[in-house]
Amino acid sequence: MKRTLPKEEIKHLGNLSGISLTDEETKTYQKQLSETLDYMENINELPTANTPPTSNVSNLENVFFHDGGENKRGLTQNEALSNTKQKKDGKFLVKRIL
Amino acid sequence: MSIFGKSIVELIRLVQEKEISRKELFDYFKRRITKYNPNLNAFLTLAEYQEDTNHGELLGIPLAIKDNFCTKGIRTTASSKVLDNFIPPYESTVTQKLLNQGASILGKTNMDAWAHGNSTETSDYGPTKNPWNTDRSPGGSSGGSAAAISAYLSPAAIGSETAGSIRQPASWCGTVGIKPTYGRVSRYGVIAMGSSLDSPGPLTLTVEDAAFLLKVLAGNDPYDATSSDIPVQDYPSIMTQKKKFTIGFSDEYFDGVNEEIKAKIMEALDVFRRLGHKTKKIKLIPPKYAISVYTILQRAEVSSNLARYDGIRFGNDRRSFGEEAKRRLMFGAYTLSYGYYDAYYKKAQKVRTLIVEDFKRVFSEVDVIVAPTCPITALKLGEFKKYPFFGEIMDVLNEPGAVAGLPAINIPVGLDSVNLPIGLQIMGNYFDEGSILNLAHQFEKETEFFGIIKKGLEKYKDE
């Protein structure tokens, strides 16, 4: 099944992904994403009516961090802020949202 | 005394016998990097020597680390301008384990940006060149790591694989590289790509080094809930046991493979038979289906994993994403969208089950599976654009095993007519890295990889 994703859909996917696209990029991705989708159709050749999905091959279930286990992952406030460009009073500075 | 070309196990002996100090060893590789890296572009960031009181098993052995492992205090970019100025405030489990054993970090190696690709050409810092022929790609995404050891800018390197990113560059640069079982090595502190697939592992000049490093890296990590608590095998000792295997090979994995590569794999199968192993033809689901499963699942996981880069807490904002990352983000967003989720994402997860079951069935008949690692040898830089999915086809033979989460090792088995290395992969059953290392080691002892690794190093000899 050959199809071309409409331009609006590409723009929508750009929005969902938090990226802005030029007109030229939209055109390029429209072609490329449509081609990729066409290739992906081959999985429909394999019947899976009675097959459960696999999300993770490790087959582990309900893995918890042990109570009382030593957790060295925490960062200090200074460490957490060490890579930000904008901070104020020991906090991340972001644009006003209200 | 000559250091050149020595494996890490040999270097450790030299340090133990005080033939050389840790600092001298570090400086030796640093000098080589200064000399060769401007041309090869294998390293993005060089680390400073750290005097270390940890003596552990690695005794100051310098290692190259792919730039998607967070290294505390050492810039980590994943080859993307989004993280151009990112200095991790914490250490990944993999690098922490190496440091605990006394390893020295030489520097961070170039890769495809976010590990998206198999040529290092999507790096925002320019491609790495293949030391065998600098007009060619080293493969990827761990291309910088593979190039670094094949030119002996580092005696061994750490890479990571989602599907092919260790095996394929190891194959194109003529080195050993092992992708462990998913969950064998912790992903904590590795910049995430496909979280249900990502597997860190070593690239080395010998199978013994791979066994040695894997033993250091493997094991359960409370900070990675998908890491396994199955006991770690003693790889270096299993590697040397006398074992005979039933080796499976499947016609489906020779479809579309270059004739010279096919011939070398067949010759390698003869070597295995000569060593007393049985070979058996098996039937596997054609790898082309794994491309679809992998592409759908990996892009979906990418679109979720890359959502965190907002430029607020660290790094630059989303305008810095390159072309390939954008393509993957959007494709992932599409297959996860309402109305398409069942047709693509869920369907791919179901086919993933079929692939897992297919391998399980085959591993009840054979101990390991042998196949080419890649359908062609190293492409010229720039040639990737000609191929659909920008290189996904290059990893066609790596994707089924990756989707199933199986371990596999690449070893060099020959050169093609233009003197480029050809790689063979041995895939093993879950958590049976011991068997694939054992068989790879038997092959290495028998053939010395036909002198390929030595030949690769020749051009980069000390004066």
Side-chain angles (χ1 to χ4, degrees), chain A residues 3 17-18 25 29 32 36-37 39 41-43 45-46 48 52 54-56 72-73 83-85, chain B residues 87 188 223 226 289 292 312-314 316 318 323 326-327 330 334 344 347 349 353 389-390 404:
Chain A
R3 100 191 80 185
S17 307
E25 281 178 312
Y29 290 133
Q32 291 173 342
T36 307
L37 276 177
Y39 185 96
E41 291 297 328
N42 74 9
I43 51 171
E45 294 163 18
L46 300 176
T48 53
T54 294
S55 59
N56 188 316
K72 291 184 186 163
R73 279 174 298 184
N83 277 284
T84 187
K85 288 185 191 128
Chain B
I87 312 283
Y188 177 66
Y223 301 161
T226 56
Y289 296 109
S292 301
I312 293 171
R313 295 153 301 151
F314 53 85
N316 298 315
R318 298 176 79 76
E323 186 188 330
K326 288 184 193 173
R327 185 157 43 231
M330 289 195 292
Y334 181 86
Y344 294 102
K347 176 75 187 182
Q349 285 190 312
T353 307
F389 313 114
F390 315 95

Side-chain angles (χ1 to χ4, degrees), chain B residues 20-295:
Chain B
I20 189 162
S21 75
R22 311 164 55 122
K23 175 82 166 61
E24 284 166 341
L25 204 50
F26 190 90
D27 290 343
Y28 171 82
F29 286 103
K30 199 152 187 182
R31 276 198 303 275
R32 290 186 56 81
I33 294 169
T34 311
K35 182 170 175 191
Y36 292 111
N37 197 57
N39 183 26
L40 295 174
N41 197 28
F43 284 88
L44 296 179
T45 304
L46 293 186
E48 292 299 315
Y49 178 73
Q50 305 284 333
E51 198 48 62
D52 193 338
T53 47
N54 280 332
H55 289 291
E57 288 191 71
L58 279 158
L59 292 170
I61 298 301
L63 295 173
I65 311 289
K66 188 177 181 180
D67 207 25
N68 60 348
F69 289 85
C70 284
T71 41
K72 191 172 180 176
I74 304 173
R75 183 174 84 131
T76 299
T77 68
S79 286
S80 167
K81 292 277 184 195
V82 173
L83 296 178
D84 189 44
N85 47 10
F86 177 57
I87 312 283
Y90 73 104
E91 195 74 49
S92 74
T93 295
V94 160
T95 46
Q96 188 62 59
K97 283 187 161 194
L98 295 170
L99 293 171
N100 289 348
Q101 291 301 329
S104 306
I105 294 177
L106 262 179
K108 306 297 289 291
T109 54
N110 199 10
M111 53 187 279
D112 284 286
W114 307 105
H116 295 169
N118 26 30
S119 66
T120 72
E121 287 172 298
T122 69
S123 167
D124 286 346
Y125 302 94
T128 298
K129 293 176 185 165
N130 190 322
W132 281 80
N133 177 338
T134 50
D135 293 333
R136 306 254 169 187
S137 161
S141 62
S142 312
S145 290
I149 58 170
S150 98
Y152 209 59
L153 307 189
S154 176
I158 302 301
S160 69
E161 170 158 335
T162 307
S165 279
I166 289 175
R167 283 173 277 172
Q168 185 251 10
S171 154
W172 283 14
C173 290
T175 75
V176 175
I178 183 165
K179 173 225 178 282
T181 309
Y182 176 78
R184 182 69 299 175
V185 176
S186 169
R187 295 180 292 112
Y188 177 66
V190 185
I191 293 170
M193 204 254 259
S195 301
S196 79
L197 300 144
D198 294 344
S199 311
L203 294 97
T204 56
L205 295 176
T206 67
V207 177
E208 186 182 29
D209 280 0
F212 181 83
L213 281 177
L214 185 60
K215 198 184 165 199
V216 172
L217 300 180
N220 181 243
D221 177 10
Y223 301 161
D224 173 3
T226 56
S227 72
S228 171
D229 57 8
I230 292 173
V232 176
Q233 297 173 308
D234 183 3
Y235 307 119
S237 86
I238 290 178
M239 184 192 80
T240 55
Q241 289 167 8
K242 286 205 171 101
K243 286 180 180 252
K244 297 281 181 249
F245 297 106
T246 304
I247 301 169
F249 64 103
S250 164
D251 283 343
E252 287 79 12
Y253 283 65
F254 291 86
D255 254 4
V257 171
N258 168 288
E259 291 300 327
E260 287 184 272
I261 296 177
K262 266 190 209 169
K264 290 291 175 199
I265 305 298
M266 289 305 161
E267 284 172 29
L269 280 169
D270 284 337
V271 173
F272 289 133
R273 285 185 204 109
R274 200 164 73 222
L275 290 166
H277 304 287
K278 273 194 207 118
T279 57
K280 185 177 173 179
K281 225 175 212 191
I282 49 169
K283 201 156 173 53
L284 281 164
I285 295 177
K288 64 177 181 184
Y289 296 109
I291 294 184
S292 301
V293 172
Y294 173 73
T295 302

Side-chain angles (χ1 to χ4, degrees), chain B residues 368-426:
Chain B
V368 297
I369 301 168
V370 158
T373 302
C374 207
I376 54 170
T377 52
L379 281 175
K380 288 199 177 118
L381 288 163
E383 268 188 304
F384 274 82
K385 293 265 175 203
K386 288 188 220 155
Y387 289 82
F389 313 114
F390 315 95
E392 222 54 272
I393 301 291
M394 293 307 118
D395 275 330
V396 57
L397 305 173
N398 298 321
E399 287 177 355
V403 160
L406 295 168
I409 190 168
N410 173 77
I411 53 173
V413 294
L415 296 176
D416 72 2
S417 51
V418 290
N419 265 330
L420 293 170
I422 293 171
L424 168 146
Q425 61 170 322
I426 308 168

